[in-house]
Amino acid sequence: MKKRQYSIYLAPAIILTLVFYIFPLLYLCYVSLFQWDGLGPMKFVSTQNFQKVLADRVFQSAFKNTLIWILSALFLHIPLGIVLALMLSRKPKGWKLMRIMYFVPNVISTTAIAFLWYFIFHVDVGLINNVLKAVGLGNLAHPWLNSLDTALISSQIPFILYVGLTMVIFLTQLSTIPESLYEAAEVDGANGLKRDFYISLPLMKPAIATNILLNTAFCLRNFEYPFLMTGGGPANKTTNLSLYIYRQMINANKYGVSMAAGVITVIMGFCIMYSVSLIGKERKGKTYD
Amino acid sequence: MIKKFKVSVMIMYFFLLLVFAFMLIPFVWLIISSFRPNADLFNAPFAIPEKLSFENYIAVFQSHPMLLYFGNSVAIAFLVTVITIFAAVMASYACIHRFRVKPGILLLFSLGLFIPTNAFMVPYYVLINRIGLYDNILGIALVYAGINFPMSFMVIKGYMDTIPAELKEAACIDGAKARQVLMKVILPISVPGIVTACVFIVINSWNELLFANLLNQSDKSRTIQVAIRSFLTTFEANYAYAFAAMVVTILPTIIIYALLTDKIIGGMTAGSVKG
């Protein structure tokens, strides 16, 4: 290809990246130094917005909760996906149907799922409390999304449970492992769990890296679950960074403060995502055969 | 030995079915509840309904332009897919060649992978307002295209990288132009990668609530997600209506999925193992 052709082929992508990443990034950093209500004139306040945000109890709670979301992805969501993928890769009866059904929640919108689980955890009409009452455990019935101790974990349950996409990515990786490897292992006496630990798991590392990246990204931008299920309550126990930025912008009209929180989120997100991608890169270039 | 094997298989089936039940029973409950009057839900929320009625569904359609919201969501998903795939395929094709500024270009494109875009609420809001696309499906679609581009580029480029160089060289020696090599050789081979990217884009843009909410004011650009959110406030006291509205919003995607299962799962299984 000639030089000019490269620029033509790259142009749409470069425009998208400049308009939706480079410009917003510069704008975010610049306006975070101003006091602004979104309409009136901007007033330069230097780093005051950052000081306000970092001292804000709600922001600290939002920061902590976002980290807890990422931990739930790493230690609950992804391991569940691995277990299910390893089980289905044995091709038990009906595995194809199960693979299809496990993926169903992933084609349903997060909004609908968040609402559904809002109702499932509902005190009066909720499925969980009513099942508990029906089996005689009525004293365990609980306002799940409204109590300090259960609100955060309850709002994470649908995310942790719906592992369809994560599982399919693992299954895809598993399907590339040559059958001969397992046969060779069988000759050496490696069956059952040994086969999983010594062959499948090590060879799944690229998919694990991909899934960590995808799910961390999801947790960082997750908005629907806290926004719809708890509204950030009770006592900001479930507020996360997205919700904090949104609230400062829409409810408080503090655009400068909202953008300062945005800058902090970008820096935090960049550090986390970049270190995760380094883990992934180390594994690259390995072949199985 | 044989007995041990059977126990482990039983544990496996038990676990698979348990997860299966936890995942899908909520949806069954939702569908049953959507056919019941509101009063019933409060009195005997867990009972099998005596009669099924479409009353809730009729009420939802009468009080809201559901088809318009649905059309908006479809139009947005379509626009995002076209814009994003076009940009990603063109750029990926350029990037399978060698040129001088390529490392810089790759860095620029992958930058987006590391940025949580929800931090850009104010910038996107201001940007879309300035170019006059506030409360317009095109404005929402453009933002989604920006958000989805880095991931789509990585998936498609990752796939194109696996195409043997001899194939491209052979095409070039035959005297084919760059555009012809792309259309006749590269594009047909890259279909699994493109399908994977499409699945991601459609799911993401269909699900998105934050920016659809932020950039919307009136019915003409309201997506189905923003609409069901408003049901909880307008139908506050009437959960039965909200249930019916939710079924209406999730049914179409389930039907599409049922029809295209092989393409979606199969397409991804063929193309998404790039570490």
Side-chain angles (χ1 to χ4, degrees):
Chain A
M1 281 211 286
K2 288 176 206 124
K3 258 188 193 168
R4 199 203 253 148
Q5 278 181 309
Y6 285 117
S7 33
I8 294 171
Y9 278 91
L10 291 169
I14 291 177
I15 293 170
L16 270 184
T17 315
L18 289 181
V19 172
F20 290 102
Y21 289 94
I22 304 301
F23 161 74
L25 199 59
L26 298 176
Y27 188 83
L28 191 73
C29 295
Y30 178 67
V31 183
S32 66
L33 301 172
F34 289 82
Q35 192 179 52
W36 188 36
D37 63 0
L39 291 168
M42 296 187 204
K43 189 183 144 209
F44 186 72
V45 292
S46 183
T47 56
Q48 269 183 37
N49 287 331
F50 287 91
Q51 289 162 14
K52 263 187 213 161
V53 167
L54 291 172
D56 188 353
R57 273 275 169 83
V58 183
F59 179 81
Q60 290 162 8
S61 164
F63 194 87
K64 192 184 86 189
N65 291 333
T66 305
L67 288 180
I68 294 176
W69 268 90
I70 293 173
L71 292 178
S72 80
L74 296 182
F75 296 104
L76 297 169
H77 177 91
I78 293 175
L80 180 62
I82 293 179
V83 170
L84 289 177
L86 285 173
M87 286 180 165
L88 289 191
S89 72
R90 302 266 166 83
K91 302 195 164 61
K93 234 179 214 166
W95 72 278
K96 276 193 171 163
L97 182 70
M98 284 194 213
R99 187 180 66 169
I100 290 169
M101 296 306 276
Y102 285 149
F103 198 80
V104 168
N106 285 78
V107 302
I108 296 172
S109 75
T110 321
T111 309
I113 288 180
F115 271 141
L116 176 56
W117 283 80
Y118 166 80
F119 286 117
I120 286 170
F121 285 121
H122 195 282
V123 188
D124 304 316
V125 302
L127 183 63
I128 293 186
N129 280 352
N130 283 297
V131 170
L132 286 173
K133 277 173 201 156
V135 297
L137 292 167
N139 54 340
L140 287 178
H142 194 72
W144 302 98
L145 290 169
N146 297 317
S147 18
L148 291 173
D149 51 340
T150 53
L152 184 57
I153 184 70
S154 299
S155 69
Q156 290 178 317
I157 292 288
F159 163 69
I160 294 167
L161 188 60
Y162 293 130
V163 292
L165 184 60
T166 304
M167 185 200 73
V168 166
I169 290 171
F170 283 130
L171 273 177
T172 308
Q173 182 85 62
L174 283 169
S175 70
T176 65
I177 301 174
E179 196 62 33
S180 56
L181 260 176
Y182 292 118
E183 282 158 15
E186 216 162 294
V187 175
D188 292 339
N191 276 317
L193 285 179
K194 270 189 186 163
R195 170 194 139 120
D196 293 332
F197 276 105
Y198 294 113
I199 302 175
S200 305
L201 268 179
L203 292 179
M204 276 162 87
K205 273 173 189 161
I208 294 175
T210 307
N211 266 326
I212 291 179
L213 203 66
L214 282 177
N215 285 300
T216 310
F218 174 81
C219 290
L220 282 168
R221 72 178 147 77
N222 168 37
F223 173 74
E224 287 87 350
Y225 289 127
F227 182 59
L228 300 172
M229 289 177 78
T230 59
N236 291 308
K237 267 281 175 189
T238 58
T239 309
N240 69 357
L241 289 172
S242 301
L243 197 57
Y244 183 83
I245 297 170
Y246 179 83
R247 286 269 156 83
Q248 291 298 326
M249 178 188 173
I250 297 296
N251 301 30
N253 271 335
K254 291 178 181 162
Y255 281 51
V257 175
S258 165
M259 290 171 94
V263 171
I264 298 170
T265 306
V266 167
I267 294 171
M268 171 198 176
F270 192 87
C271 293
I272 294 176
M273 300 293 281
Y274 188 70
S275 34
V276 166
S277 76
L278 285 184
I279 303 169
K281 261 200 189 117
E282 253 172 54
R283 323 286 186 204
K284 246 190 184 171
K286 284 188 182 173
T287 43
Y288 313 133
D289 318 78
Chain B
M1 192 65 201
I2 288 167
K3 201 179 171 195
K4 196 176 144 201
F5 174 66
K6 272 186 181 160
V7 170
S8 71
V9 168
M10 268 172 62
I11 293 172
M12 185 168 97
Y13 270 108
F14 177 73
F15 185 78
L16 285 173
L17 290 174
L18 190 73
V19 175
F20 189 73
F22 269 109
M23 279 183 178
L24 296 174
I25 283 177
F27 294 104
V28 176
W29 178 69
L30 169 71
I31 291 167
I32 294 173
S33 302
S34 71
F35 287 103
R36 308 174 60 195
N38 200 39
D40 267 23
L41 280 176
F42 277 95
N43 297 334
F46 199 46
I48 302 292
E50 282 160 24
K51 65 177 173 66
L52 299 177
S53 86
F54 282 91
E55 186 197 331
N56 299 328
Y57 288 87
I58 295 165
V60 166
F61 273 94
Q62 274 174 350
S63 56
H64 287 80
M66 293 296 288
L67 289 176
L68 176 66
Y69 301 150
F70 189 73
N72 286 339
S73 278
V74 172
I76 287 172
F78 176 77
L79 282 171
V80 180
T81 311
V82 171
I83 298 169
T84 317
I85 294 292
F86 175 73
V89 166
M90 297 271 277
S92 305
Y93 178 58
C95 287
I96 56 176
H97 298 83
R98 253 186 237 125
F99 54 95
R100 208 189 313 148
V101 289
K102 188 172 157 186
I105 293 284
L106 287 181
L107 189 73
L108 179 72
F109 290 165
S110 57
L111 189 71
L113 284 178
F114 305 116
I115 294 179
T117 40
N118 53 3
F120 292 158
M121 273 179 234
V122 180
Y124 285 169
Y125 181 77
V126 172
L127 177 75
I128 295 299
N129 259 309
R130 284 282 159 81
I131 56 176
L133 289 176
Y134 178 70
D135 200 20
N136 185 322
I137 55 168
L138 195 58
I140 299 171
L142 280 174
V143 168
Y144 288 1
I147 292 174
N148 283 298
F149 171 74
M151 180 72 202
S152 314
F153 173 72
M154 283 302 141
V155 171
I156 294 174
K157 181 189 167 279
Y159 200 84
M160 282 190 184
D161 279 345
T162 64
I163 298 172
E166 301 90 64
L167 209 62
K168 289 173 282 184
E169 280 158 18
C172 289
I173 290 163
D174 287 346
K177 292 203 175 92
R179 190 171 57 89
Q180 288 170 324
V181 176
L182 172 63
M183 298 304 289
K184 300 239 168 81
V185 182
I186 306 296
L187 208 57
I189 308 177
S190 309
V191 166
I194 294 173
V195 169
T196 308
C198 284
V199 172
F200 275 107
I201 296 169
V202 171
I203 290 179
N204 283 346
S205 46
W206 185 265
N207 282 351
E208 221 280 342
L209 176 72
L210 175 57
F211 289 109
N213 189 26
L214 210 58
L215 302 172
N216 159 264
Q217 189 174 31
S218 68
D219 276 349
K220 74 171 178 149
S221 74
R222 187 155 298 164
T223 66
I224 202 89
Q225 309 305 337
V226 180
I228 40 174
R229 195 217 144 202
S230 73
F231 284 135
L232 204 70
T233 39
T234 43
F235 286 146
E236 187 113 62
N238 202 323
Y239 292 154
Y241 287 0
F243 286 157
M246 281 159 70
V247 173
V248 170
T249 57
I250 66 177
L251 209 58
T253 43
I254 296 207
I255 292 171
I256 293 169
Y257 174 65
L259 294 174
L260 296 176
T261 309
D262 286 343
K263 282 233 164 60
I264 292 172
I265 301 269
M268 291 179 63
T269 318
S272 69
V273 208
K274 308 287 334 136

